[in-house]
Amino acid sequence: MNADKPAVSGGARIFAAQRYRLSTLTVPCDLIVAVTAGRKELHTPSRSITAGQGQAVLIARGTQWDVVNDPYGQQQYEALVLGFDGMLVREFSERAQTHTTSDVTSAQVIALDEALIEALQRTLPGQQTPSNAVIRHRCLEVLLLLEEKGHCFAPPQELSWTERIQRLIGQRINADWSVSTIAQAFHMSESTLRRRLADSDTTLAAIVRDSRLQTALGMLQTSDLSVGEVAQ
């Protein structure tokens, strides 16, 4: 395989003999990507994240990145990728044992250990395809290990459609966002997106405007840029 598109709630092993880049990749489900050789880079116009060998990156659903997989001096880039569907994340959240974890809202790098690697390995397809019940059990094991490390994914019901769109827009605040591009990112029709925006009593134009204003205010408060430079 040569792209980070595993089956939802299932594992895959990714290989790349050469460095390559995937532009504006929208993550459809919560992911953990464990780098076992080379390094992975995630980029937005305002942020860059790098996970090297022995590290994993947790990526929240609905976020959008430029993704680079790089052998980085190794024979090839290798990673274990596991995706969690929303129902599984919700199920785990409802029975979680602790409330001291921090929700993954964008992407963050964590250290790998032997227990986590072994649990990820068990989710990979083998000579025999396990039942859906077994796959879900193994995925829940990974979520439990992440919880013990202090990390969890936010259950879907905690994010409104306005919040999901704000999260997506916030990563590429200066992009030319439209109903068409947002609908495509969330794999839905434009009419469905318009209905969900109407149900939330808002419009895409209002969400884009508010997101840009919040970003501009933050830049004015934390940098030496002038108003004109921020506007540009």
Side-chain angles (χ1 to χ4, degrees), residues 162 165-167 169-170 173 205-217:
T162 298
I165 294 170
Q166 287 174 333
R167 178 184 289 187
I169 290 173
I173 200 69
I207 296 174
V208 172
R209 181 183 64 250
D210 290 345
S211 297
R212 288 175 174 169
L213 286 173
Q214 291 174 14
T215 300
L217 178 60

Side-chain angles (χ1 to χ4, degrees), residues 178-216:
S178 67
V179 171
S180 176
T181 56
I182 295 290
Q184 184 177 9
F186 286 112
H187 307 287
M188 65 173 60
S189 67
E190 293 182 30
S191 59
T192 298
L193 177 59
R194 292 183 192 279
R195 285 196 301 271
R196 291 182 173 173
L197 288 171
D199 291 341
S200 300
D201 195 26
T202 190
T203 65
L204 179 59
I207 296 174
V208 172
R209 181 183 64 250
D210 290 345
S211 297
R212 288 175 174 169
L213 286 173
Q214 291 174 14
T215 300

